Amino acid sequence: MGEAATGLVAQLVDELERKLLFGDIIPGDKLPAQRAMAQGFGVSRATVREAVFTLESRGLVETFHGGGSVCCNLLESGYPEPEVKEGGGSRELQQQVMEMREMLEGEAAYFAARRATPAQREALSLEYARMRERGSGETTLRKAKADLTFHMLIAESSHHLLVVSLSQVLYTRYFNVIYAVLSRTLRKTGRYPPGIGAQHEEIYRAVLAGEAERARRAAREHIAYTRQQLSA
Amino acid sequence: MGEAATGLVAQLVDELERKLLFGDIIPGDKLPAQRAMAQGFGVSRATVREAVFTLESRGLVETFHGGGSVCCNLLESGYPEPEVKEGGGSRELQQQVMEMREMLEGEAAYFAARRATPAQREALSLEYARMRERGSGETTLRKAKADLTFHMLIAESSHHLLVVSLSQVLYTRYFNVIYAVLSRTLRKTGRYPPGIGAQHEEIYRAVLAGEAERARRAAREHIAYTRQQLSA
DNA sequence: CTGGCGAAGTGGTCTGACCAAGCATGGGGG
DNA sequence: CCCCCATGCTTGGTCAGACCACTTCGCCAG
């Protein structure tokens, strides 16, 4: 391992991560006690704690007060109940991400309505039809992904490098935040919010009709609606 | 913050995250020293360290040994490197940057009108007065910088981490483009466009008056006007 | 067998100290 | 006059030991 990890914590993290990934410690197993690890590795407990915390923030382990740290099952996360605490960020961040989406998707729709190529219009139609077809019977995760695919298609149709760039950054880097918002809404209302379908249709129609202002308004309203569910 | 965070670290994290997202600390700013925070919050430095580390693992801050912790720009990486030479890029890029500004500064003004602190309102007044005072007799470069300073002040007053992040990226990375637009306008009309002053005043007044919708409209119109000069 | 209780073990936090790396300042050399 | 670097202050990194809060588990009384 040619690693030249700088810092004791980083070295410890590498060491433990290897053990975890290599299966010396399998999901459900408990990690050694912090005091034991400190002595074993010849470092202070504070260092061990930071290392364990790093692993926790990466989702590799879970720590219980008085109960030790346990290796996680990596596939269990992302299940229907993602337990928003780590995955979704603070309420405030969720709010800000949605505000950003509101402005961004409004502009994306605006430009898409004016500049989408025939091929892009067709792709959008296809995606919209597919989205509409399956409707329910999908996991929240798949719904969120389908939703972002739809909006990303519109962003791409804007033929606006900066809009596309920002969309990519937002949709990938903050996917878990967006997902958490949708997930939270679903858990509260019990089902897919009734307005969403109609809103998607309105955006879709406006873009295809080439009515830019209407598309912008529709897109903004769509996000505003979702955002509103959040604060309610 | 109606949070019922369990654990001192979690409380501290919430507190700091709030400050970051709300813009009390904007990208590029340094966080207080760990010792200072420990004293300020009445906790030990170990607790502060864990909290800072949490923020770091969420990508909100970056920590440097001996150099403090700084608030990150959430959108910096992942954005295209423009490689804009002195010329100011293609007409198309100029157009797109200005379109981005139109959307961004509209939202920035909107939020600034609602959330600017008294200190920020005063700073904005000062900057506006200074801007107005010198008027002519400045180089184009200084004018462009003053213009961006004015708009950056508004962005900072939005207390919106994502808006600030995007503004920073746009204003620094695409400064040459923005400069080229202004430069081109000046060369064509021979002087500072007549509408600009009044537009700045309108934005300024709307923000200070706390009229969010009006501020958004004014900011959008301002950029739209400049953009129009471009294509004419 | 059951229920409660307490000891032992674990993570959470505090304190204070020292080490290491950045940074500002000022003096010396060019 | 300017540039460079030595040095001291500031900042984060690590350490050691202590105490508190929570969980676990086994012992003992009922």
Side-chain angles (χ1 to χ4, degrees):
Chain A
M1 51 167 189
E3 297 311 311
T6 60
L8 292 178
V9 172
Q11 288 178 31
L12 228 185
V13 167
D14 285 351
E15 180 75 17
L16 288 176
E17 195 168 37
R18 192 166 303 121
K19 280 200 162 109
L20 288 167
L21 295 176
F22 194 72
D24 289 351
I25 302 174
I26 64 173
D29 280 0
K30 291 213 315 198
L31 266 64
Q34 294 178 356
R35 286 171 178 81
M37 283 193 279
Q39 188 175 355
F41 289 109
V43 298
S44 81
R45 202 180 138 213
T47 304
V48 171
R49 281 180 56 72
E50 280 212 34
V52 170
F53 189 76
T54 301
L55 297 174
E56 185 165 19
S57 71
R58 291 188 194 172
L60 287 173
V61 304
E62 197 168 359
T63 300
F64 302 93
H65 188 171
S69 296
V70 182
C71 173
C72 286
N73 185 318
L74 294 186
L75 299 179
E76 260 172 12
S77 64
Y79 251 43
E81 292 295 331
E83 190 54 42
V84 183
K85 65 165 187 180
E86 281 298 316
S90 69
R91 187 69 45 83
E92 185 62 27
L93 179 60
Q94 292 178 7
Q95 196 68 247
Q96 293 201 0
V97 168
M98 293 310 281
E99 282 163 358
M100 198 68 165
R101 280 190 70 184
E102 188 173 332
M103 118 175 74
L104 179 62
E105 293 185 16
E107 299 308 297
Y110 175 86
F111 286 110
R114 301 178 60 167
R115 305 164 74 172
T117 67
Q120 285 172 329
R121 288 164 196 277
E122 190 161 351
L124 192 61
S125 297
L126 232 72
E127 183 57 32
Y128 175 68
R130 193 179 314 153
M131 200 174 188
R132 186 173 174 150
E133 197 112 350
R134 18 184 209 208
S136 48
E138 289 279 346
T139 73
T140 305
L141 184 62
R142 295 192 75 83
K143 268 180 186 156
K145 284 188 176 171
D147 192 85
L148 288 193
T149 300
F150 178 71
H151 290 297
M152 195 64 216
L153 263 180
I154 293 178
E156 287 172 6
S157 301
S158 73
H159 294 273
H160 198 302
L161 177 61
L162 292 173
V163 166
V164 175
S165 299
L166 183 55
S167 297
Q168 282 181 355
V169 173
L170 211 62
Y171 294 159
T172 57
R173 191 168 314 179
Y174 297 100
F175 173 77
N176 55 348
V177 175
I178 295 173
Y179 173 62
V181 171
L182 178 60
S183 183
R184 183 159 177 279
T185 300
L186 255 73
R187 220 176 313 129
K188 199 154 55 180
T189 69
R191 65 201 180 82
Y192 213 59
I196 301 286
Q199 289 163 11
H200 278 158
E201 178 168 359
E202 173 66 5
I203 298 172
Y204 164 69
R205 284 188 188 283
V207 169
L208 241 65
E211 299 176 25
E213 296 287 0
R214 179 179 151 214
R216 174 193 282 149
R217 190 167 6 96
R220 289 193 73 114
E221 273 171 11
H222 168 51
I223 303 296
Y225 174 82
T226 306
R227 192 158 61 77
Q228 197 176 326
Q229 304 276 33
L230 190 63
S231 55
Chain B
M1 300 303 105
E3 302 306 315
T6 59
L8 292 178
V9 171
Q11 287 179 32
L12 228 184
V13 167
D14 284 351
E15 179 73 18
L16 289 175
E17 192 170 41
R18 198 193 116 278
K19 277 196 160 76
L20 288 167
L21 292 173
F22 192 70
D24 288 350
I25 303 173
I26 65 173
D29 279 1
K30 292 212 315 198
L31 266 64
Q34 293 179 355
R35 287 170 177 82
M37 283 193 278
Q39 187 174 356
F41 289 110
V43 298
S44 81
R45 208 181 131 212
T47 303
V48 170
R49 281 181 56 72
E50 281 212 32
V52 170
F53 189 75
T54 301
L55 297 174
E56 187 164 18
S57 71
R58 290 189 193 172
L60 287 174
V61 305
E62 197 169 358
T63 300
F64 301 92
H65 188 170
S69 298
V70 299
C71 173
C72 285
N73 186 313
L74 296 187
L75 301 173
E76 209 163 38
S77 67
Y79 237 75
E81 280 296 339
E83 191 49 50
V84 178
K85 30 202 181 304
E86 293 301 318
S90 69
R91 188 65 46 84
E92 185 60 27
L93 180 59
Q94 291 179 5
Q95 197 66 248
Q96 292 200 3
V97 167
M98 294 309 280
E99 282 163 357
M100 198 66 163
R101 281 190 69 183
E102 188 172 334
M103 119 175 74
L104 180 61
E105 293 185 16
E107 298 307 299
Y110 175 85
F111 286 110
R114 300 178 60 168
R115 305 165 74 175
T117 67
Q120 286 171 330
R121 288 165 198 275
E122 191 162 348
L124 193 62
S125 297
L126 234 72
E127 183 57 32
Y128 175 68
R130 193 180 314 153
M131 200 174 189
R132 184 171 175 156
E133 197 112 349
R134 18 185 210 210
S136 47
E138 289 278 346
T139 75
T140 304
L141 183 61
R142 295 193 74 82
K143 268 181 185 154
K145 284 188 176 172
D147 192 86
L148 289 193
T149 299
F150 179 70
H151 290 298
M152 195 63 216
L153 263 181
I154 294 178
E156 288 175 8
S157 301
S158 74
H159 294 274
H160 198 301
L161 183 56
L162 288 173
V163 166
V164 176
S165 294
L166 184 55
S167 297
Q168 284 184 351
V169 171
L170 209 63
Y171 295 158
T172 58
R173 200 170 301 186
Y174 296 94
F175 174 77
N176 281 343
V177 176
I178 295 173
Y179 173 63
V181 171
L182 178 60
S183 184
R184 183 159 177 281
T185 300
L186 255 73
R187 217 177 316 127
K188 199 153 57 181
T189 69
R191 64 200 180 84
Y192 213 59
I196 300 285
Q199 289 162 11
H200 277 160
E201 177 167 0
E202 172 65 6
I203 298 172
Y204 164 70
R205 285 188 187 282
V207 168
L208 242 64
E211 298 176 25
E213 296 288 0
R214 179 179 151 213
R216 174 193 281 148
R217 190 168 4 96
R220 288 195 74 116
E221 274 171 12
H222 167 50
I223 304 295
Y225 174 82
T226 306
R227 191 158 61 75
Q228 197 177 325
Q229 303 278 34
L230 190 62
S231 55

